[in-house]
Amino acid sequence: MNPLLKSRKIIIMKLLANQEYSNAESAARRFIELYPDEVFGWKIAGAACFYLGRYQEARDFLLKAVVFNSRDPEIFSTLGNALFYQGRIKDALRCFERSLEIDADHSPALNGKGLCLMGLSLDRAEEARKCFERALSANQSQPEVYCNLGALLSQLGQLDEAVDLQRKSLELNPTYAEAYSNLGHALQDLGRVDEALDALEKATQVNPHSAVLFSNRLYALNYHPDKTAEDIFKSYQEFDRLFGLPHRASWIPHSNDRDPERRLRIGYVSADFGSHVIGYHLEPLLANHSREQFEITAYTERVGSDGLTARYRRLIDHWVPTKELTDEVMAERIRSDGIDILIDLAGHTSGNRLGVFARRPAPVAVTWMGYGYTTGLSAIDYFLTDAVMTPPGSEHLFAEQIWHVDCPVGTYRPAPDMGEVGPLPALTNGTVTFGTLTRGIRINHRVVRVWSDILRRLPGSRLVVDNKSFVTETAQARLAEQFAAHGIERERLIIGYHSPPWDVLRSTDISLDCFPHNSGTTLVESLYMGVPFITLAARPSVGRSGSTALIAVDHPEWIATTEAEYVDKAIALASDIERLATIRAGLRAEFEASPWRDESGFTRRVEQAYREMWRRWCATPQKK
């Protein structure tokens, strides 16, 4: 090899190894100019662009590298990574499989294939797990593989193993922000919120420029049992200071036609246009939207599709995949599409595009449903809600202006396989069975204490806790220990996981809501299955979703305002079996007659809100 050529390669490889990606890219581009027929330059430029997050450029360089060398497994695995982060999972999978055809033990390709299988479907979880384990067999010093395997196990509910794997990843790389974040996710699902927040805070310290990592921390904060609403909101304001306000200087006035009564272009932004709980509420809205008054565009961050995705596509005028778009490009697309009102359906959940909203690409911006609390972004105009979830006096806890519609701020279309209600279990069991379908993050020390008080005051009663957070015996034992500390015997607890949970609800007499962060869709499902629940009205608005559910079916008597009242209401309901049987027999009919099932009425309420928001913008021409 030419000594000068060899020397140049060594220098460039050192830049890449030292994570000097910008310098490595510049050097690789210069190398390509000097040696355009050498695969090395194209390969390194592609790798550098990938690490810089410029996936399209990485792909272009790597496709050129393949032309010069189609037998290098590393080129194919890096190309697969670039495609994966563009959301092109099936194309990425083909690249990883090609890499493995060349070298069956190529660890990066095994890792990448595992990620692809995770992204395609949890049904392929076992295949993904084998890929990660094979990668570790080939090389046990790969923090990213431990991190990804841990993330997979978190999705499967194997949370203790997930925590161990993330800690192993951090032993190998103490500055691995994603591992800290995944550790936080696993800990929060175990109900260890303070430890989760510590891990998530470390993630933001490692990478303070990541809005995603900051969002993860805000998400966990919502569940803290002891922090005040005011303290939590301060962190949301910090999010705006770091990731929202800096974009204000680049806002551009909108040129949308200011006719207040014309047909409006509505854009919905979500990563959940598929099988997801928001479908119970979103699909009815889309199905009933007036096409004379509204033109609908979906900006979908979702990768892949399923049966519900296909139904969404039939209900929407324009379908725009956004996974490959940067915030800047996506914002410009929305602006060029002439969107009048842009709706965020994600908040700080996974796949959110709040960075787009911070750039204010539409005249009116609204957040609704997908998160349940403020985004923190002052760039978003309105938080769509009802007066039960956000009562007067809670305005100071939201960055957006609160916009009330009649309760409830949602509708519900039951799953077709839920089946009939069934008789009251207590009539045959001889004892009352309480139950919850909530995730572990909501079951905190306050909840355990209150539920234990109920069980002590009602000897012989039982509690069912059914959720993926408790799929393992270790998780079940840990929760049982928390109740044992309050004198509750293990045999009175039925802890596990069933999906779908309809038979669990049929075996439950009374559901118990969590606090200070209430449950969500599972409460509505409970009512539909004839099971009343007790809720504690706490922080707006995540602490009042239970109240909204009950007000909408005209049962405010099951709403408590203190923990003591919560216990008393649960005991009173459980102590009158005849009354409980009557409630069960009639609750589904009450639900069917309630606003929860009025899909058309709810859609008209939302559409009226959109129209009034638009009229308000038209009346203030100076607003960007």
Side-chain angles (χ1 to χ4, degrees):
M1 180 184 294
N2 182 318
L4 181 58
L5 180 64
K6 182 178 180 180
S7 176
R8 289 180 185 274
K9 287 185 176 181
I10 291 172
I11 291 171
I12 294 172
M13 287 298 294
K14 284 184 177 179
L15 291 172
L16 194 68
N18 292 333
Q19 300 182 10
E20 298 179 44
Y21 301 128
S22 294
N23 291 334
E25 181 199 356
S26 298
R29 285 179 180 272
R30 175 60 178 159
F31 188 95
I32 290 170
E33 292 175 3
L34 296 172
Y35 310 101
D37 295 329
E38 279 277 342
V39 68
F40 177 85
W42 301 100
K43 176 180 175 179
I44 298 301
C49 286
F50 169 75
Y51 287 120
L52 290 167
R54 301 196 332 252
Y55 305 123
Q56 181 62 45
E57 292 175 74
R59 187 184 72 171
D60 293 342
F61 278 119
L62 292 163
L63 285 173
K64 185 70 173 180
V66 169
V67 172
F68 291 110
N69 186 352
S70 61
R71 297 294 302 170
D72 185 339
E74 193 171 19
I75 294 175
F76 282 102
S77 64
T78 308
L79 177 57
N81 285 328
L83 292 167
F84 178 84
Y85 283 98
Q86 284 186 302
R88 299 174 57 177
I89 294 184
K90 291 182 180 178
D91 291 336
L93 182 58
R94 283 191 284 269
C95 286
F96 293 127
E97 289 176 337
R98 174 60 179 143
S99 178
L100 293 169
E101 287 174 6
I102 301 167
D103 179 1
D105 295 319
H106 189 63
S107 292
L110 288 165
N111 180 57
K113 183 177 179 179
L115 283 173
C116 287
L117 294 171
M118 280 178 64
L120 288 172
S121 171
L122 265 188
D123 291 339
R124 305 190 70 175
E126 189 56 35
E127 291 179 74
R129 182 171 188 159
K130 288 178 180 177
C131 286
F132 294 134
E133 290 174 345
R134 279 181 58 198
L136 291 173
S137 295
N139 181 356
Q140 296 186 12
S141 300
Q142 301 178 91
E144 66 277 8
V145 183
Y146 287 105
C147 179
N148 294 332
L149 178 55
L152 173 64
L153 296 188
S154 280
Q155 291 184 28
L156 296 175
Q158 299 174 32
L159 299 172
D160 290 282
E161 291 181 63
V163 166
D164 291 341
L165 286 163
Q166 300 301 345
R167 294 197 190 283
K168 177 63 176 178
S169 177
L170 289 166
E171 287 176 12
L172 295 169
N173 181 0
T175 61
Y176 195 180
E178 187 174 357
Y180 277 120
S181 182
N182 287 343
L183 174 61
H185 283 305
L187 288 168
Q188 72 187 23
D189 285 341
L190 284 167
R192 295 155 63 179
V193 179
D194 283 311
E195 293 176 75
L197 286 170
D198 181 63
L200 294 166
E201 176 64 27
K202 288 176 180 174
T204 61
Q205 290 171 359
V206 171
N207 187 355
H209 304 296
S210 171
V212 171
L213 295 177
F214 205 106
S215 284
N216 292 342
R217 182 171 174 273
L218 293 178
Y219 179 92
L221 268 173
N222 282 354
Y223 295 87
H224 200 287
D226 302 314
K227 291 185 181 295
T228 66
E230 287 74 13
D231 284 342
I232 291 171
F233 181 56
K234 288 177 183 177
S235 293
Y236 282 82
Q237 292 175 305
E238 179 69 3
F239 178 84
D240 194 33
R241 186 185 72 79
L242 293 172
F243 303 106
L245 296 178
H247 295 289
R248 279 183 175 265
S250 60
W251 284 5
I252 303 171
H254 298 99
S255 58
N256 302 54
D257 179 1
R258 291 179 177 272
D259 179 352
E261 306 306 322
R262 67 172 173 82
R263 188 184 190 214
L264 298 179
R265 295 186 179 97
I266 306 295
Y268 289 100
V269 181
S270 176
D272 299 319
F273 287 112
S275 294
H276 189 274
V277 291
I278 73 165
Y280 294 118
H281 312 282
L282 180 60
E283 186 182 8
L285 174 69
L286 296 176
N288 286 277
H289 256 320
S290 168
R291 289 303 187 269
E292 292 181 358
Q293 293 293 318
F294 302 96
E295 179 181 346
I296 309 300
T297 299
Y299 296 95
T300 173
E301 193 75 0
R302 182 180 177 86
V303 174
S305 62
D306 54 32
L308 188 52
T309 306
R311 297 211 300 269
Y312 279 134
R313 296 196 72 157
R314 290 193 292 268
L315 297 173
I316 288 169
D317 298 304
H318 310 288
W319 187 266
V320 181
T322 58
K323 186 70 174 180
E324 295 186 38
L325 305 182
T326 65
D327 287 344
E328 292 80 3
V329 171
M330 183 173 165
E332 184 52 42
R333 170 64 190 264
I334 291 167
R335 184 180 289 274
S336 67
D337 287 343
I339 297 299
D340 300 307
I341 303 177
L342 192 67
I343 318 296
D344 162 56
L345 298 175
H348 288 278
T349 60
S350 177
N352 77 72
R353 297 306 299 264
L354 293 179
V356 173
F357 284 83
R359 289 160 171 81
R360 200 163 176 81
V364 178
V366 184
T367 185
W368 170 62
M369 186 178 62
Y371 188 57
Y373 187 44
T374 183
T375 63
L377 287 180
S378 53
I380 296 182
D381 300 288
Y382 302 111
F383 182 86
L384 190 64
T385 181
D386 61 53
V388 179
M389 290 190 73
T390 52
S394 59
E395 295 84 359
H396 66 291
L397 300 173
F398 294 80
E400 310 85 2
Q401 181 176 342
I402 291 175
W403 191 290
H404 286 148
V405 297
D406 290 342
C407 179
V409 61
T411 185
Y412 178 75
R413 182 178 290 183
D417 62 342
M418 294 179 77
E420 298 304 315
V421 170
L424 185 74
L427 293 175
T428 53
N429 294 337
T431 186
V432 169
T433 302
F434 296 98
T436 179
L437 301 178
T438 196
R439 293 180 292 122
I441 190 174
R442 292 191 180 96
I443 302 178
N444 54 65
H445 66 92
R446 293 172 57 192
V447 169
V448 171
R449 183 183 68 249
V450 167
W451 289 357
S452 297
D453 286 347
I454 294 169
L455 294 174
R456 278 199 307 272
R457 287 181 55 181
L458 199 68
S461 61
R462 302 178 300 178
L463 173 65
V464 174
V465 181
D466 200 272
N467 187 273
K468 190 163 63 175
S469 296
F470 306 103
V471 70
T472 67
E473 292 183 2
T474 302
Q476 295 165 15
R478 184 184 299 107
L479 181 62
E481 288 172 3
Q482 295 179 54
F483 281 93
H486 293 275
I488 304 303
E489 302 87 348
R490 179 65 179 87
E491 54 267 26
R492 298 182 67 186
L493 304 173
I494 306 169
I495 309 172
Y497 175 55
H498 298 83
S499 181
W502 316 137
D503 286 339
V504 176
L505 287 173
R506 265 185 285 272
S507 69
T508 301
D509 297 296
I510 301 170
S511 290
L512 298 176
D513 193 11
C514 299
F515 52 88
H517 193 306
N518 294 165
S519 295
T521 301
T522 59
L523 298 177
V524 181
E525 292 170 342
S526 178
L527 295 174
Y528 184 75
M529 295 301 291
V531 184
F533 67 85
I534 305 298
T535 190
L536 173 63
R539 297 193 295 249
S541 52
V542 294
R544 293 175 178 264
S545 57
S547 299
T548 282
L550 292 177
I551 291 294
V553 293
D554 198 25
H555 279 292
E557 70 274 17
W558 300 333
I559 302 172
T561 56
T562 66
E563 292 179 7
E565 187 183 10
Y566 182 108
V567 174
D568 289 341
K569 285 180 177 292
I571 297 301
L573 196 57
S575 298
D576 189 343
I577 299 300
E578 183 177 342
R579 170 63 179 152
L580 199 55
T582 300
I583 290 170
R584 189 180 191 91
L587 194 52
R588 178 172 288 190
E590 292 181 69
F591 188 90
E592 287 286 1
S594 78
W596 281 116
R597 296 291 287 128
D598 183 9
E599 296 181 0
S600 178
F602 172 69
T603 303
R604 300 290 87 79
R605 295 197 298 274
V606 170
E607 290 180 339
Q608 182 180 0
Y610 290 169
R611 179 62 64 181
E612 290 299 323
M613 292 172 187
W614 179 249
R615 289 169 180 158
R616 184 176 294 185
W617 183 79
C618 290
T620 54
Q622 76 280 4
K623 189 171 184 179
K624 293 182 179 180

